[in-house]
Amino acid sequence: MRGEIKTAVILGVAIAAGVGIMSVYLGSIEQEDVPEFAVSPVDKSGFRTAPEIVGIAEYLNTTPEELDAKIEDSVVLYDIWTYSCINCIRTLPFITAWDEKYAEQGLLIIGIHSPEFEFEKDPENVMAAMVKHGIEYPVVMDNDMETWKAFENRYWPRKYIADHEGYIRYDHIGEGAYQETERIIQELLAERSMAMQTSMPSQDLVDLESFQHTSSRTPELYLGYQLAFGRSQLGNEEGFRPNQAVTYGSIPETPEIHKFYMVGKWQNGPESMKLESDSGEIHLQYFAKEVNIVTEGVGTIHVYLDGEPITAEHQGYSLNGHILDIAEPGLYNIVASNSANVHMLELRVMTPGIEVFTYTFG
């Protein structure tokens, strides 16, 4: 099952944009200064209704009763995400901006936090991520993936937008298409305003710089044997040995690009590699501008690029010099170059008990 779950493609895919073309005219002004509109009716027989939010472990920034009341008559953007997913993180500036801009006009954003890793089920970790990214809208913790299943979803991130009558009118996988998505929000809010005799939404668009991705970059790499199944991403000849502690030897003279190589004694877990020896290493030849890792534990990792301590030219924002101090589980940016290139990245893990889950690239 986990092999079928995917982090969404970088540029994203619009599955269905079912907003009808509206013919709108401004009618007479009532005493309350509420404009009267006419709109061509939209045939909704081909749209499904948004499923119920079910199986929730925690409600953040809301309560079940409050959320049910807010959904009624709102245009609802359901954002399926998880806080250590870099693709999800890159969408958040747009989503939080839409919340600030359109919440009073009838848009309700609900973050459906469906975790990829066990540590993402901790509400304190999720709340810390919400504070970090300025998330003030409701977030529900879908720890057992019940709402994920109700939406028949397979991707992080994914956005569904339902109109004020509960019909899903838009479905987008991954990043990108921000202007398209905002236009859909505006059109559905306009439909709502006409139906409910409220003010029309603003027609300008959020102006944020979208992250530009590197084509042909190294794909996401999984260090847990369950998530890495069938991907051929571990380069060591010892391979994965599920639920065993494996001592990995030296790396080959000519390592393959897009594969990682372990050195030291590592416990092979379903989601991660956990260091058991006093120190260990992970070597990776990659092609990208940015490199991030998802890790858990308390300790330090020393970061080397092309055989030398990483320099300011390439340092990620999570580093202090060439050192990564890990204090909480999550995503850490370790490389942030100005352009994409091939580099040999070496992580020298200095603390037993550190777990590494994934590498992601931009």
Side-chain angles (χ1 to χ4, degrees):
M1 176 63 183
R2 294 302 285 270
E4 296 180 353
I5 297 174
K6 303 175 183 178
T7 300
V9 292
I10 292 299
L11 294 181
V13 179
I15 301 299
V19 178
I21 303 299
M22 299 184 296
S23 58
V24 181
Y25 68 86
L26 180 62
S28 60
I29 304 298
E30 303 291 340
Q31 289 184 352
E32 297 83 5
D33 292 331
V34 177
E36 208 175 275
F37 298 97
V39 58
S40 300
V42 177
D43 180 6
K44 301 182 182 181
S45 60
F47 300 115
R48 63 171 174 146
T49 56
E52 295 288 329
I53 293 175
V54 293
I56 300 306
E58 298 279 349
Y59 288 79
L60 308 177
N61 287 348
T62 191
T63 65
E65 297 77 17
E66 183 181 51
L67 189 60
D68 286 343
K70 284 184 176 180
I71 290 173
E72 187 74 23
D73 294 328
S74 292
V75 172
V76 183
L77 188 158
Y78 299 90
D79 177 39
I80 298 181
W81 71 300
T82 187
Y83 81 82
S84 73
C85 162
I86 187 62
N87 309 94
C88 303
I89 290 170
R90 289 177 183 142
T91 68
L92 292 177
F94 291 90
I95 296 173
T96 54
W98 294 334
D99 178 54
E100 181 178 352
K101 183 176 178 181
Y102 297 112
E104 293 185 0
Q105 300 179 48
L107 176 67
L108 171 64
I109 297 176
I110 303 174
I112 300 171
H113 188 271
S114 302
E116 186 173 14
F117 302 112
E118 192 67 25
F119 67 79
E120 293 175 313
K121 297 180 179 181
D122 187 333
E124 291 189 3
N125 293 341
V126 178
M127 286 188 287
M130 291 168 62
V131 171
K132 178 179 179 180
H133 297 292
I135 295 174
E136 298 181 356
Y137 50 80
V139 171
V140 296
M141 294 188 60
D142 183 30
N143 284 358
D144 294 326
M145 312 293 275
E146 292 300 320
T147 297
W148 168 291
K149 295 171 187 174
F151 274 92
E152 300 178 354
N153 183 47
R154 292 175 56 198
Y155 302 93
W156 293 280
R158 191 165 188 171
K159 292 182 285 293
Y160 299 88
I161 305 180
D163 64 21
H164 68 285
E165 295 181 322
Y167 290 94
I168 294 178
R169 303 280 293 280
Y170 184 74
D171 176 357
H172 182 79
I173 294 171
E175 303 176 50
Y178 299 113
Q179 290 193 346
E180 174 185 277
T181 303
E182 188 171 2
R183 288 293 188 198
I184 299 299
I185 291 170
Q186 291 178 348
E187 291 180 21
L188 293 181
L189 288 175
E191 283 188 19
R192 177 184 181 274
S193 73
M194 292 171 213
M196 303 184 68
Q197 295 288 286
T198 59
S199 60
M200 286 285 287
S202 167
Q203 294 302 303
D204 59 316
L205 298 176
V206 167
D207 184 18
L208 294 175
E209 182 179 351
S210 178
F211 182 87
Q212 297 299 313
H213 300 279
T214 305
S215 60
S216 304
R217 73 194 181 284
T218 298
E220 184 168 8
L221 302 177
Y222 292 92
L223 278 71
Y225 67 81
Q226 188 176 73
L227 295 175
F229 178 77
R231 297 176 187 266
S232 188
Q233 295 177 336
L234 174 60
N236 297 83
E237 62 181 14
E238 295 89 348
F240 286 107
R241 297 182 186 175
N243 303 315
Q244 296 183 38
V246 180
T247 299
Y248 293 98
S250 59
I251 68 170
E253 289 186 10
T254 55
E256 292 185 53
I257 193 169
H258 311 321
K259 289 191 176 185
F260 60 90
Y261 295 81
M262 315 297 293
V263 176
K265 187 176 183 180
W266 294 84
Q267 177 69 30
N268 285 212
E271 296 183 343
S272 68
M273 288 278 198
K274 183 176 182 179
L275 181 63
E276 291 209 345
S277 50
D278 290 339
S279 62
E281 301 170 7
I282 311 175
H283 297 254
L284 167 67
Q285 189 176 43
Y286 71 91
F287 177 76
K289 289 172 60 177
E290 288 194 358
V291 184
N292 310 280
I293 61 169
V294 175
T295 185
E296 181 179 19
V298 177
T300 59
I301 296 176
H302 294 185
V303 180
Y304 286 72
L305 199 67
D306 300 325
E308 301 290 337
I310 192 168
T311 62
E313 180 184 1
H314 299 286
Q315 281 173 11
Y317 63 79
S318 299
L319 298 185
N320 180 13
H322 74 288
I323 296 175
L324 174 64
D325 292 309
I326 302 166
E328 58 187 27
L331 182 139
Y332 293 85
N333 176 244
I334 56 175
V335 178
S337 304
N338 291 325
S339 60
N341 215 322
V342 175
H343 293 284
M344 176 59 75
L345 176 65
E346 178 186 349
L347 302 185
R348 298 182 183 178
V349 185
M350 311 304 293
T351 313
I354 293 290
E355 293 183 68
V356 183
F357 294 78
T358 66
Y359 286 85
T360 59
F361 304 87

